[in-house]
Amino acid sequence: MNEWFKKNVGTIKEKWGKWSLVQKIICAAILLAVVAAVVLLAKVSSTPSTVRLFNSPVTEAQRENILTRLDADNVKAYVDSDGYISVEDEKTAKKWRSRLIAEGYEPAEKDPWSLFDTVKWTRNDFNDKVDWKRAMEDSVKAHIEQLEGIRSANVILTLPDEALFSDNQKPTTASVTIFANNPEMLTSRKQVKGIQRLISRSVEGLSEDNITIVNGETGEEINDFEGMEASDRISLVAKQEKEIRKLESEYSSRVLKQLQTIFGDKRVKVTNMTIDMDMSQKKFTKTEYTGITLKTDNPDTVYDDSETTDKLVLSEETVDKKFTGTGYNPEGPAGVEGQNPPVYSDMSNVIGQSTENGVKRNYALNREDSEGETSPQKGRRTISVSIDGVWTYPLYDENGKLRLSSSGGYEREYTPIADEELAKITKMVQGAIGYDVQRGDLVTVENIQFDRTDEFRQEDAAFIKAQQTKKTIFFVLVGIAIVLIIFIAFRLISREIERRRRLREEELLRRQQAEREQAIWDAKNEDISVTMSVEERRRAELQENAIAMAKEHPEDVAMLIRTWLREEA
């Protein structure tokens, strides 16, 4: 096999070397074409055979809904470049084609106004009205289905005939059924109102009151907002009260932060913080007449030196009138007998004189007309602050001894806050809340003794426990010391008794040895033969050996004696 392979390779190399450049290029092109054909054939053969789900292309929004629905049941689907959706086999296509149509996923991509493209000789106004109604319904339906989250919608419009008089004209109505991907979407009042407004703007003459929107899943009308006014009012009041509580909490925190920095966390409490707020919105129109400023206030002075006046003279006219003539006698028209009272009759033909003096002035007033709408206003602010005094403990008497109460705890003294200090604290609180006397604000700061019974009881219990612990430790140490003293005394007495016993024994042995030596010495002097026992003889030999060893090795003997004494001690 190797020989054949080498032979063929050699033949190919030999022929390749004989070919010209053009022949080599043609051969390389043929090889590349063959490789490309093989790759293309493999790719085509690997592509699964699919069946189209629908015979019409699907828009992007509808395609996403259909693919999501198929993916929910783990159905494999393919989308080509033209927008067609395909599945694996014909059986799957038939099954899901009928199911998708039943669930409202059928693609209906068409022009709603194409009905008017066909011109017929038999066409009349009724046909145009019906076609216009169908086109409008399809247009509104497509408009709603373009919204995100809407799977499908059904729209029915009622277009009444046009009446001669507007009072007899029946309104246009609309009934809309919506199927949503997420049922919670149709519970949002804001989104439902947006859909309702979209429908009313799409159809001419259609008001929002004549639109009925129904949830296709539950059959519930979702745009009935008449019974929600009371709920909205309650919700608004709750939000307003929440905002007021938030402001009160902010003001309380501001006051506590300032005072607790000075007096500590446990001595300051805000017992009440109330802010009256007018949350209503009112429109107003008012005219105000204010004084005219003749001289502005000089800011360099500590007092107000401005000058104002309520009016300013623009023009002035002096009147000086005199009249001389007969008196006034109203007798009526000529030729008619007068019916004057006696007073006027007596004054007829009497010469009279009158004088009129006066000054007419034209004044200028400072008038201001305003119109606007009031927003929520912060009203009266009321705050009450309680501050505890100072508790002093522990206390000591003149001898430096700790003063204790009858219960065995600390004896304490309470020192209240001075009135001058309370006045300063009141000013601090007024500054923290923006005090305004014209607004009726009220700030109360009182020195109140807080109930610290539980706190003092715990401190006293801890103090008593510490005292008991100290006493217990002291008695234990005293007992240990007594035991040690007794043990040391017993040890000393035992050693002393042992020492005396040893001394007595040594003294007894020394005496016996001396007597024995004396007896031996006496026997030698008297030439008396003394018979010694075996034990005495052995003892004498040991003693002689010890004496000889002590003479030869004195240091070893001294060390041995010290060792014996240390062991006996």
Side-chain angles (χ1 to χ4, degrees):
M1 184 68 182
N2 292 333
E3 295 293 335
W4 178 82
F5 181 76
K6 291 179 180 180
K7 182 178 179 180
N8 291 334
V9 170
T11 304
I12 293 172
K13 287 182 178 180
E14 182 180 357
K15 292 182 176 181
W16 179 263
K18 295 179 179 180
W19 285 356
S20 62
L21 179 61
V22 177
Q23 292 175 335
K24 292 179 180 179
I25 293 175
I26 294 173
C27 182
I30 293 172
L31 291 176
L32 289 176
V34 171
V35 172
V38 171
V39 172
L40 182 60
L41 181 61
K43 184 176 181 182
V44 172
S45 61
S46 63
T47 303
S49 58
T50 58
V51 179
R52 287 182 178 179
L53 193 60
F54 298 105
N55 293 326
S56 60
V58 184
T59 60
E60 184 177 357
Q62 294 174 343
R63 184 166 62 248
E64 289 294 331
N65 294 333
I66 293 174
L67 293 177
T68 303
R69 180 65 183 88
L70 293 175
D71 186 63
D73 285 355
N74 298 323
V75 178
K76 294 183 179 180
Y78 307 93
V79 181
D80 57 12
S81 59
D82 295 331
Y84 289 93
I85 300 177
S86 302
V87 292
E88 293 182 346
D89 51 24
E90 183 66 28
K91 182 179 178 181
T92 306
K94 289 181 179 181
K95 174 183 176 181
W96 282 99
R97 187 181 298 117
S98 59
R99 182 176 295 185
L100 291 175
I101 292 174
E103 294 180 2
Y105 288 97
E106 180 183 7
E109 189 65 24
K110 60 182 180 179
D111 185 8
W113 306 101
S114 61
L115 298 172
F116 298 95
D117 295 338
T118 303
V119 179
K120 297 181 181 179
W121 292 101
T122 59
R123 193 173 188 86
N124 52 29
D125 294 340
F126 177 77
N127 298 126
D128 291 340
K129 181 178 180 180
V130 172
D131 291 344
W132 185 87
K133 177 176 175 295
R134 290 174 56 192
M136 184 59 66
E137 289 175 349
D138 293 340
S139 178
V140 174
K141 179 177 182 295
H143 210 33
I144 295 175
E145 290 178 349
Q146 289 178 357
L147 299 177
E148 184 178 359
I150 303 297
R151 185 171 73 244
S152 62
N154 295 325
V155 180
I156 298 176
L157 298 177
T158 301
L159 306 176
D161 296 332
E162 186 176 356
L164 181 60
F165 299 101
S166 59
D167 294 340
N168 299 330
Q169 180 66 45
K170 295 182 179 180
T172 302
T173 60
S175 176
V176 181
T177 304
I178 297 178
F179 298 88
N181 294 327
N182 185 7
E184 295 181 357
M185 172 187 176
L186 300 181
T187 61
S188 174
R189 182 177 180 181
K190 183 178 180 181
Q191 293 181 348
V192 173
K193 275 198 168 186
I195 296 174
Q196 178 176 287
R197 195 174 296 111
L198 174 66
I199 298 172
S200 66
R201 299 297 189 275
S202 301
V203 182
E204 182 181 1
L206 179 61
S207 63
E208 296 183 5
D209 296 335
N210 297 322
I211 300 175
T212 301
I213 303 177
V214 178
N215 186 350
E217 303 290 343
T218 62
E220 180 184 1
E221 185 178 355
I222 60 177
N223 67 327
D224 183 12
F225 305 120
E226 293 181 358
M228 301 183 66
E229 294 181 359
S231 177
D232 293 342
R233 189 179 301 109
I234 294 174
S235 178
L236 179 61
V237 171
K239 290 180 180 179
Q240 292 173 355
E241 291 181 352
K242 183 178 180 181
E243 186 66 23
I244 294 174
R245 299 289 88 79
K246 181 180 178 181
L247 289 174
E248 292 176 351
S249 178
E250 290 179 358
Y251 279 100
S252 300
S253 300
R254 190 183 305 172
V255 172
L256 286 175
K257 185 177 181 180
Q258 290 185 2
L259 297 181
Q260 288 179 352
T261 305
I262 303 173
F263 299 100
D265 298 341
K266 296 183 178 180
R267 292 183 56 194
V268 182
K269 293 182 180 179
V270 176
T271 57
N272 178 48
M273 178 65 207
T274 305
I275 299 178
D276 298 333
M277 292 190 66
D278 184 8
M279 306 299 292
S280 61
Q281 294 182 350
K282 303 176 182 178
K283 294 183 180 180
F284 65 89
T285 301
K286 63 180 180 179
T287 301
E288 294 181 352
Y289 294 92
T290 58
I292 299 174
T293 303
L294 301 178
K295 179 184 177 183
T296 58
D297 181 26
N298 185 6
D300 296 334
T301 60
V302 295
Y303 55 90
D304 186 7
D305 59 349
S306 61
E307 295 181 6
T308 59
T309 181
D310 56 349
K311 55 188 175 180
L312 184 64
V313 178
L314 296 180
S315 61
E316 184 177 8
E317 179 183 359
T318 303
V319 178
D320 189 3
K321 183 187 296 185
K322 293 182 179 181
F323 172 76
T324 303
T326 59
Y328 177 70
N329 186 12
E331 294 182 352
V336 179
E337 184 180 358
Q339 297 179 354
N340 297 327
V343 178
Y344 287 126
S345 298
D346 294 340
M347 292 177 61
S348 64
N349 298 323
V350 178
I351 298 175
Q353 181 178 357
S354 65
T355 303
E356 181 181 355
N357 296 321
V359 178
K360 296 181 179 180
R361 296 186 178 91
N362 185 15
Y363 294 99
L365 301 177
N366 192 5
R367 172 178 173 177
E368 181 180 356
D369 297 330
S370 59
E371 181 178 354
E373 183 177 355
T374 60
S375 58
Q377 299 291 331
K378 297 179 183 178
R380 184 170 180 262
R381 304 172 188 178
T382 304
I383 185 171
S384 300
V385 180
S386 302
I387 302 180
D388 193 8
V390 180
W391 288 95
T392 304
Y393 65 95
L395 302 176
Y396 298 90
D397 55 13
E398 60 276 3
N399 298 326
K401 186 178 180 181
L402 182 66
R403 293 165 54 181
L404 301 177
S405 62
S406 59
S407 61
Y410 293 114
E411 184 176 344
R412 300 172 175 85
E413 289 184 357
Y414 182 78
T415 304
I417 300 176
D419 295 338
E420 296 81 4
E421 192 172 358
L422 287 176
K424 295 179 181 179
I425 298 171
T426 303
K427 291 182 179 180
M428 291 178 60
V429 177
Q430 290 176 352
I433 68 170
Y435 177 80
D436 186 0
V437 66
Q438 300 295 331
R439 191 170 51 202
D441 294 349
L442 177 62
V443 176
T444 304
V445 179
E446 295 292 341
N447 177 205
I448 298 178
Q449 182 176 342
F450 293 171
D451 183 13
R452 300 184 182 274
T453 304
D454 294 338
E455 180 182 351
F456 291 162
R457 186 183 296 112
Q458 293 177 1
E459 291 179 354
D460 291 344
F463 173 74
I464 294 173
K465 183 178 180 181
Q467 294 295 102
Q468 292 176 351
T469 303
K470 290 181 181 179
K471 289 181 180 179
T472 303
I473 294 174
F474 174 75
F475 288 134
V476 169
L477 293 177
V478 170
I480 293 173
I482 292 174
V483 171
L484 290 175
I485 292 172
I486 294 173
F487 177 76
I488 293 172
F490 175 77
R491 185 69 175 171
L492 293 176
I493 293 172
S494 300
R495 288 185 178 182
E496 183 64 22
I497 293 173
E498 182 67 21
R499 186 181 67 82
R500 290 183 180 184
R501 183 185 64 79
R502 189 171 58 252
L503 291 177
R504 285 197 302 270
E505 291 179 354
E506 292 178 355
E507 181 66 20
L508 180 60
L509 293 175
R510 187 182 62 78
R511 288 180 182 179
Q512 292 177 358
Q513 181 66 24
E515 290 177 356
R516 190 178 296 109
E517 291 178 354
Q518 184 65 34
I520 295 172
W521 182 260
D522 291 343
K524 287 182 178 181
N525 292 333
E526 296 177 359
D527 293 331
I528 300 175
S529 58
V530 179
T531 304
M532 299 178 62
S533 64
V534 177
E535 183 179 355
E536 291 178 352
R537 191 180 298 109
R538 185 176 180 183
R539 185 180 183 85
E541 291 178 357
L542 290 175
Q543 186 175 0
E544 290 177 0
N545 293 333
I547 293 171
M549 185 178 294
K551 291 180 180 179
E552 294 178 0
H553 306 283
E555 294 180 358
D556 296 339
V557 174
M559 185 177 299
L560 178 61
I561 294 173
R562 283 197 295 269
T563 303
W564 287 347
L565 293 176
R566 190 179 297 111
E567 289 179 355
E568 292 180 358

